[in-house]
Amino acid sequence: MGIKHLHRNIYLSVCLSVCLSVCLSVCTSAPESPRKFDCRSREKETFSCWWEPGSDGGLPTEYRLFYTQERLREVRECPDYVSAGANSCFFDKKHTSIWAEYTMTVVATNALGNASEEFRITDVMEYVKPDPPVNVTVVVNSSAPSPFLEIRWKSPPDVDVRTGWVTLKYELRVKQNDSKEWKVIDIGSETFFNFYNVYPGLLYMVQVRCKLDHGKWSEWSNTIFAEIPKNHQLEKYFWIFVFVFSLVPFLMAMYIVLLKRNAVKQCLLPPVPGPKIKGLNAHLLKSGRSEDVVNALMGNQNFPPVAAWTEQVEDFLLVSDSDEWLLTDSFASEKNKDIFIIPAGLHLGLEIQRRDLSVDLNTWEKTDDSKEEAKSNFSNMEPINLPVEKHEFLNGEEKSIQPLASTSYVDIQQHPTLTDYSRVKEVNDNTILILNEEEIPHGLDAEEVKSEVSVPDDYSRVKEVNSDVVFLEKGDSADGCCKKKEDHYTDWTNQNKGFCLKMIASGYVDSGPAFSVK
Amino acid sequence: MQQKSEKRQLGQRRNRLRTCRTDKRTMAQRRISGGKLFITVVYLVAMCRAVPVNDLLDRASQRSDKMHSLSTLLTQEMDSHFPPYGRMQMPRPADCHTSALQTPNDKEQALQVSESDLMSLARSLLQAWVDPLAVLSTSAITLPHPSKSSISSKIQELQEHSKSLGDGLDILSGKMGPSAQAISFLPYTGGTDLGQDRVTILNKFNFLLSCLRRDSHKIDSFLKVLRCRAAKLQPELC
């Protein structure tokens, strides 16, 4: 029995131990080697390093750091595992050597084994990164001429600048509260700066950082805010100044205006000439006697202008072949302002008929009103009277006729012309003067004719267009008055219809009904 | 421009100091009548206005600061396009040709070193880099690196700064005593050729630049400690 028990116990213990060992190997393991090694020195006198532990294998693992220095042959262990936090090593002043190479070995150990990793620090100076500057103060200095920011700070603690062991260089940045861009300024080794690019009424943010011996920059310090007060006083002074300075010229201007008010009045408000009626007395009006007023306004009721007008009309002497066109004064006066058509076709037809015989000088005018009259007149082949100052011709004055605008009055130009009326064949109403070429002796007078009324022998061109008078020159029928419209009138000789369209200053001749000349 | 003018100034000062020294020696030898002596001494003193040491140190430390800044930029520029081959395969800083020189490695040590020794150390390190800088300068022109022109110009600038700083430190050390004028000899044994293939050349270049950065920082730190020590009358400098 005892032996059986013994065997059983042995068997059980062996089983347990085997199970345990199996269990342990499955659940736990040796630790992994640590990774990622980094160090930092704050002031070029001490430094600390951190590592990242690997997997610990499920068992409590211990980490140890061993290092060797460039000069020292011996291997030392980390003097301080605590001060810099977990998984770190802090090297104090005694154990820190600048410009020396460190070879660090971090060993992770647990019950099942260990793992180690080697890290090399070429130079502690490569890991120097100071703390940001402290006691940053920003004071707004509101002295004239413009406000500015006085920025002051102190070097980070523990940094020994005094002995020259460390050289700090600072950098400053400022921005407006709502702006996105910082303005960065290099300072050098000083611990103050005056920032002038500020405007009243705005809020500014200031930050400072430093670097040690051309190493890495520190973090930016805390942001300090500063607001520039609005400069009301200066504004007040400014406006008072502007007011006083603008008041002086204003007062001077007023004084001058006052002195010369009459002249100013003349300049700005020139006197409007009042209506002056002859014989009208303003005072008379005021007195209100109607008889006098009427007399003053109406005059003597003589109507002198009308009489004069008729007199003028009566001055015209009409010369014509037939009697029918001899117009009475009333007719003339009636038609005084009318303009009559004399269709080109008519005259030209006439001309064509008598091409060899006569040279006609036609003037053209038109009104719609007078068409029918013209027609009726023309049906007789009778040119209409012209209330032209023919008598002047009879008097032998050398003048050419040029009608006045839209009236029957003809302005007579001085011309060495028309010494005799023999050339005047016909005088049509108002403005038509037809010259009879027959009577013009060729050769000698041709030139004269040319110069007279600027009517050369060759009437193919329109010589002159005055306001109401068109001087036509007749030549080849094709080149006749329709020179401009040659394309329309291809066969002038055969055609007796159609009109010339001419542009007259005051009107135009439209193509009225064609007249066929028989 | 500023460098050249400063060079000239330093050179002029050196000449003046030399003439001062020689004049003083001849003066000491000839002891004629007291009156004449007195007058000549006064005249010479008036002529030889010594440039204050503070001023010289200030300029020297500015120059060394510039040098360190340039060397830092150089290493950064090299690393930007050529990541280190591997920190294990890179030559160790202990292999720098100047590593044999014993220098203070922390603040306490540095503050305990005498001014003369600090000056001697700075001058030794500066002198040790004259030849390697020339090698770097010639190699930079044909360096298989994208920003070789920028690197080359920085190295040339470094050479100029190094030269003028050396002249200035010569004058300064002359004022500080014989121990300041002692220079440790640190020869560069790397040869003029950096290597044959691209990888070797770049590795060697990188290594030299890292050594240069370390040494330029040492020079800068020592001179700035010296400056603050000499500026007791002007505490605002430090």
Side-chain angles (χ1 to χ4, degrees):
Chain A
M1 270 311 259
I3 299 169
K4 271 191 185 171
H5 275 290
L6 194 67
H7 279 300
R8 203 187 295 146
N9 288 337
I10 293 167
Y11 179 72
L12 275 170
S13 59
V14 165
C15 247
L16 268 170
S17 59
V18 165
C19 282
L20 268 172
S21 60
V22 165
C23 196
L24 274 173
S25 63
V26 166
C27 305
T28 60
S29 65
E32 278 183 0
S33 59
R35 325 177 258 262
K36 273 201 193 171
F37 200 78
D38 195 15
C39 303
R40 182 188 170 187
S41 171
R42 278 208 171 85
E43 70 288 86
K44 200 178 162 187
E45 293 174 48
T46 66
F47 75 104
S48 45
C49 293
W50 303 269
W51 62 85
E52 194 182 296
S55 145
D56 62 353
L59 293 168
T61 313
E62 191 189 8
Y63 292 94
R64 294 177 79 178
L65 186 143
F66 301 95
Y67 69 93
T68 61
Q69 261 191 38
E70 188 179 324
R71 302 277 171 74
L72 308 171
R73 290 295 158 197
E74 60 185 7
V75 177
R76 289 183 183 177
E77 194 177 348
C78 170
D80 189 341
Y81 285 104
V82 178
S83 302
N87 294 321
S88 72
C89 183
F90 176 75
F91 296 83
D92 60 359
K93 291 186 188 182
K94 281 190 207 159
H95 298 95
T96 305
S97 294
I98 315 291
W99 308 307
E101 192 191 29
Y102 280 78
T103 308
M104 313 273 192
T105 311
V106 182
V107 181
T109 316
N110 70 358
L112 288 176
N114 56 27
S116 68
E117 189 71 37
E118 196 174 270
F119 304 99
R120 194 168 288 170
I121 309 287
T122 318
D123 191 347
V124 172
M125 285 309 300
E126 289 178 20
Y127 301 92
V128 164
K129 182 177 173 182
D131 288 329
V134 293
N135 286 10
V136 183
T137 59
V138 180
V139 173
V140 178
N141 192 326
S142 302
S143 62
S146 61
F148 60 93
L149 296 174
E150 283 181 1
I151 307 168
R152 305 256 184 287
W153 59 89
K154 287 212 171 65
S155 62
D158 304 327
V159 171
D160 186 6
V161 195
R162 206 174 41 81
T163 59
W165 178 240
V166 159
T167 309
L168 280 174
K169 290 217 170 80
Y170 299 99
E171 200 175 65
L172 174 67
R173 68 177 187 182
V174 184
K175 86 170 165 94
Q176 291 179 23
N177 200 12
D178 47 2
S179 162
K180 278 185 192 170
E181 303 250 325
W182 288 93
K183 174 129 176 55
V184 179
I185 305 153
D186 269 324
I187 304 289
S189 299
E190 294 158 342
T191 57
F192 64 90
F193 188 74
N194 291 337
F195 188 75
Y196 286 89
N197 195 16
V198 290
Y199 298 97
L202 295 176
L203 185 69
Y204 287 91
M205 300 163 59
V206 178
Q207 283 182 325
V208 195
R209 70 175 178 181
C210 57
K211 80 172 169 182
L212 199 155
D213 278 7
H214 300 289
K216 292 182 199 166
W217 283 106
S218 71
E219 297 297 326
W220 287 104
S221 68
N222 292 334
T223 311
I224 307 294
F225 291 90
E227 186 169 1
I228 319 292
K230 282 196 180 153
N231 212 344
H232 293 294
Q233 197 184 31
L234 263 184
E235 275 180 9
K236 260 192 227 167
Y237 286 146
F238 171 72
W239 285 116
I240 290 167
F241 186 74
V242 162
F243 178 70
V244 166
F245 259 85
S246 60
L247 199 66
V248 169
F250 177 71
L251 286 173
M252 276 176 63
M254 289 302 293
Y255 181 66
I256 289 165
V257 163
L258 213 65
L259 279 180
K260 308 264 182 199
R261 57 179 176 273
N262 291 331
V264 170
K265 237 195 243 177
Q266 281 278 2
C267 178
L268 288 177
L269 307 168
V272 178
K276 290 226 161 86
I277 303 171
K278 246 187 200 169
L280 182 66
N281 200 346
H283 296 296
L284 207 59
L285 273 173
K286 284 179 194 164
S287 61
R289 290 174 57 185
S290 58
E291 295 167 358
D292 295 335
V293 169
V294 168
N295 276 340
L297 285 173
M298 298 301 284
N300 294 326
Q301 305 195 1
N302 287 337
F303 306 106
V306 179
W309 184 71
T310 49
E311 278 171 14
Q312 282 183 22
V313 172
E314 284 169 358
D315 279 341
F316 293 127
L317 193 67
L318 305 176
V319 176
S320 171
D321 287 351
S322 67
D323 297 327
E324 294 190 12
W325 62 264
L326 195 64
L327 299 168
T328 58
D329 283 343
S330 59
F331 178 78
S333 64
E334 193 185 336
K335 295 295 174 186
N336 206 359
K337 291 180 185 173
D338 289 344
I339 306 162
F340 289 85
I341 286 181
I342 299 173
L346 174 67
H347 285 284
L348 281 172
L350 289 171
E351 288 168 14
I352 288 161
Q353 297 290 335
R354 321 179 272 184
R355 191 200 299 190
D356 300 325
L357 302 174
S358 69
V359 172
D360 290 338
L361 189 72
N362 295 328
T363 63
W364 300 98
E365 283 183 336
K366 165 202 172 178
T367 57
D368 292 333
D369 300 331
S370 58
K371 249 194 205 175
E372 288 177 3
E373 280 196 33
K375 279 188 201 171
S376 61
N377 283 333
F378 295 154
S379 62
N380 297 330
M381 304 285 291
E382 293 162 359
I384 305 170
N385 276 344
L386 211 199
V388 177
E389 290 97 280
K390 275 289 175 188
H391 69 285
E392 296 185 14
F393 286 98
L394 293 171
N395 292 336
E397 292 177 8
E398 299 178 346
K399 289 182 185 174
S400 67
I401 296 170
Q402 193 174 358
L404 295 171
S406 73
T407 62
S408 60
Y409 302 105
V410 176
D411 187 19
I412 297 167
Q413 290 180 347
Q414 294 291 338
H415 268 292
T417 63
L418 291 174
T419 47
D420 56 76
Y421 290 130
S422 59
R423 295 198 198 88
V424 178
K425 186 165 192 290
E426 291 175 353
V427 178
N428 295 324
D429 188 14
N430 287 346
T431 56
I432 300 168
L433 178 68
I434 299 172
L435 285 178
N436 198 347
E437 192 184 15
E438 248 181 5
E439 299 167 10
I440 298 168
H442 290 279
L444 281 172
D445 288 335
E447 290 175 3
E448 284 183 26
V449 170
K450 267 188 190 170
S451 58
E452 280 168 14
V453 287
S454 63
V455 176
D457 291 339
D458 186 14
Y459 293 127
S460 60
R461 305 190 309 269
V462 174
K463 200 64 187 335
E464 193 178 348
V465 178
N466 293 318
S467 57
D468 287 338
V469 175
V470 174
F471 287 94
L472 262 187
E473 298 172 359
K474 187 212 160 189
D476 288 335
S477 59
D479 295 332
C481 63
C482 292
K483 196 178 182 186
K484 288 183 194 173
K485 304 281 177 178
E486 279 178 11
D487 51 341
H488 293 283
Y489 300 91
T490 51
D491 194 358
W492 188 244
T493 50
N494 296 331
Q495 271 210 1
N496 301 325
K497 300 181 185 180
F499 290 92
C500 293
L501 298 178
K502 277 157 282 190
M503 299 298 291
I504 309 176
S506 61
Y508 62 93
V509 176
D510 88 346
S511 57
F515 285 84
S516 57
V517 180
K518 296 173 186 171
Chain B
M1 288 296 286
Q2 195 197 1
Q3 303 163 13
K4 280 182 186 162
S5 64
E6 285 192 10
K7 256 199 231 176
R8 239 181 279 125
Q9 281 171 355
L10 282 170
Q12 283 169 4
R13 275 194 214 105
R14 200 201 319 183
N15 290 332
R16 248 186 274 154
L17 286 167
R18 283 209 197 104
T19 54
C20 281
R21 262 183 252 134
T22 50
D23 283 337
K24 280 182 186 162
R25 272 189 228 122
T26 52
M27 283 302 304
Q29 283 164 16
R30 289 194 240 122
R31 294 183 188 267
I32 319 169
S33 58
K36 277 190 185 173
L37 184 69
F38 179 71
I39 290 162
T40 10
V41 163
V42 164
Y43 174 73
L44 282 171
V45 163
M47 229 175 58
C48 305
R49 269 175 313 145
V51 180
V53 173
N54 295 343
D55 198 29
L56 282 174
L57 272 173
D58 192 36
R59 289 159 199 255
S61 60
Q62 279 175 23
R63 195 65 67 116
S64 66
D65 184 270
K66 185 72 185 150
M67 276 181 69
H68 179 55
S69 162
L70 278 168
S71 60
T72 313
L73 287 170
L74 268 171
T75 51
Q76 284 170 3
E77 207 161 339
M78 274 297 285
D79 286 346
S80 66
H81 289 280
F82 178 75
Y85 197 72
R87 292 214 167 223
M88 301 306 164
Q89 282 116 336
M90 276 264 291
R92 311 278 291 274
D95 300 333
C96 285
H97 67 288
T98 53
S99 58
L101 190 66
Q102 292 284 331
T103 58
N105 280 332
D106 58 33
K107 188 174 94 173
E108 278 89 8
Q109 288 177 21
L111 294 180
Q112 282 162 13
V113 176
S114 69
E115 290 106 15
S116 310
D117 290 340
L118 281 173
M119 179 56 72
S120 168
L121 287 168
R123 289 183 73 212
S124 308
L125 286 168
L126 198 61
Q127 185 61 41
W129 275 99
V130 173
D131 293 335
L133 271 176
V135 172
L136 281 171
S137 180
T138 50
S139 308
I141 300 162
T142 54
L143 193 71
H145 193 277
S147 35
K148 68 176 177 212
S149 56
S150 164
I151 288 169
S152 176
S153 67
K154 285 196 176 72
I155 290 175
Q156 278 182 350
E157 214 180 322
L158 261 174
Q159 277 186 295
E160 286 176 22
H161 284 298
S162 165
K163 179 83 174 53
S164 71
L165 182 62
D167 294 340
L169 290 185
D170 287 344
I171 298 166
L172 267 172
S173 62
K175 296 189 175 220
M176 292 166 75
S179 58
Q181 293 179 313
I183 295 182
S184 307
F185 187 55
L186 301 159
Y188 175 66
T189 54
T192 52
D193 190 16
L194 288 185
Q196 300 304 319
D197 60 306
R198 181 176 173 272
V199 171
T200 318
I201 291 171
L202 286 172
N203 258 341
K204 197 88 196 282
F205 207 88
N206 225 4
F207 168 66
L208 275 174
L209 284 182
S210 68
C211 287
L212 174 62
R213 179 180 165 189
R214 192 166 87 157
D215 290 338
S216 67
H217 192 216
K218 280 187 187 176
I219 296 165
D220 190 39
S221 300
F222 300 156
L223 286 177
K224 282 180 179 162
V225 167
L226 270 178
R227 175 177 72 165
C228 278
R229 260 199 235 172
K232 285 179 191 132
L233 295 170
Q234 292 165 308
E236 67 266 12
L237 272 177
C238 296

